[in-house]
Amino acid sequence: TETSPLLKVRALNAWYGEGHALQGIDLDVRAGETVTLLGRNGVGKTTALRTIMGIIRSRTGSIEFDGRDMMRVPLHRTAHAGIGYVPEERGIFATLTVYENLNLTPVVARGGMSLDEIYTLFPNLKERRNSAGTKLSGGEQQMLAIARILRTGARLLLLDEPTEGLAPVIVQRIGEVLVTLKQRGMTILLVEQNFRFASKVADRFYVVDHGQVIDHFAVEQLPDRMSMLNEALGV
Ligand code: ATP
């Protein structure tokens, strides 16, 4: 239905061996929303994305995407269901060109962006289309990583720290790309340490600590939360 979220996560637990990394996370991402997970290093943000994607199989709880029970969907079908994951390490093919990276990506769900659409959204990737991944700047690699996933037809993007290690002007450019994607109706779940960047693109926030959600709020409530965030995140 229209009111139920596109992604609904309830009581999600995940383990690395004995390590109980996620301890009962609840979160919703409505269609068209950008939601950001905030939290210090090592609290479980990356684990949350990897568990939703189905990479971590040692998990309990429920993950519903577009009404579908994702706990029953094997990893190799997650992308087909319409979820795309851009890991922190980006996962592009370093020895292949931009063009090859964009064309090796299978279109697994309906609505995958055409090469023309990608080049319109990322003009610099068009300019660099014959360059190998290794020759790209960090910002270009990040854009290629996002572009590859947009080729698949994902309707929900899981982005892990897309601004990490990038110069402010590139961070701003990535922010513009995310805003454009939002305008096109994309739904985004973002892990981000760059609080200023997150506050420009996100509609809502969840604060994660020790594998649990300790707070959640809308961007409008941000001013009221600043002292709590200062304490929880040191921002
Ligand atoms: P960061 O931003 O540093 O990645 P995070 O909030 O994303 O932090 P996670 O990477 O999800 O945190 O890590 C959560 C916990 O799980 C940490 O205690 C971490 O040490 C542990 N962990 C992460 N990956 C593994 C792994 N492959 N094997 C064992 N423990 C892990």
Side-chain angles (χ1 to χ4, degrees):
T1 66
E2 229 169 63
T3 50
S4 73
L6 184 66
L7 177 71
K8 182 171 161 183
V9 172
R10 291 293 179 270
L12 191 63
N13 285 269
W15 289 265
Y16 296 105
E18 300 280 292
H20 194 180
L22 287 190
Q23 307 189 3
I25 286 205
D26 291 354
L27 63 90
D28 288 338
V29 187
R30 293 188 277 271
E33 254 191 335
T34 296
V35 168
T36 297
L37 304 183
L38 298 170
R40 292 181 190 271
N41 285 332
V43 297
K45 305 178 304 295
T46 297
T47 303
L49 297 189
R50 290 167 53 87
T51 307
I52 291 166
M53 192 63 198
I55 298 164
I56 296 172
R57 307 303 295 189
S58 180
R59 57 182 185 168
T60 63
S62 75
I63 302 169
E64 224 179 85
F65 174 66
D66 204 11
R68 187 162 173 192
D69 176 8
M70 297 302 292
M71 297 296 278
R72 305 173 66 90
V73 174
L75 173 58
H76 70 276
R77 301 299 301 179
T78 311
H80 291 79
I83 305 180
Y85 173 53
V86 182
E88 196 171 352
E89 62 278 10
R90 297 174 183 140
I92 59 174
F93 297 104
T95 59
L96 302 183
T97 67
V98 167
Y99 175 84
E100 288 164 344
N101 267 280
L102 291 172
N103 283 294
L104 262 181
T105 306
V107 176
V108 295
R110 289 199 318 172
M113 277 191 196
S114 68
L115 206 54
D116 278 351
E117 286 177 291
I118 293 289
Y119 285 157
T120 304
L121 188 58
F122 302 97
N124 56 327
L125 290 184
K126 185 176 187 181
E127 272 169 43
R128 303 285 266 139
R129 63 188 175 278
N130 295 319
S131 303
T134 45
K135 295 279 197 291
L136 301 178
S137 69
E140 288 166 339
Q141 287 182 18
Q142 185 60 54
M143 289 182 203
L144 179 57
I146 295 171
R148 277 188 67 223
I149 300 304
L150 295 173
R151 290 282 276 156
T152 66
R155 285 172 298 142
L156 170 66
L157 293 185
L158 308 177
L159 302 180
D160 198 348
E161 300 206 29
T163 68
E164 219 213 340
L166 303 181
V169 57
I170 309 299
V171 170
Q172 192 183 335
R173 178 74 194 103
I174 289 178
E176 288 161 8
V177 166
L178 296 193
V179 168
T180 304
L181 292 174
K182 272 176 80 165
Q183 285 163 353
R184 297 170 66 141
M186 185 62 79
T187 307
I188 301 169
L189 179 58
L190 181 71
V191 165
E192 195 45 77
Q193 304 265 3
N194 183 336
F195 185 69
R196 285 188 56 193
F197 170 83
S199 61
K200 283 187 185 136
V201 297
D203 302 300
R204 291 193 306 115
F205 298 87
Y206 287 84
V207 182
V208 180
D209 197 15
H210 291 98
Q212 296 177 327
V213 169
I214 58 165
D215 194 16
H216 63 98
F217 54 91
V219 68
E220 294 77 20
Q221 297 163 282
L222 200 54
D224 306 336
R225 292 302 208 282
M226 282 317 292
S227 63
M228 181 277 288
L229 290 172
N230 269 317
E231 205 158 301
L233 313 174
V235 291

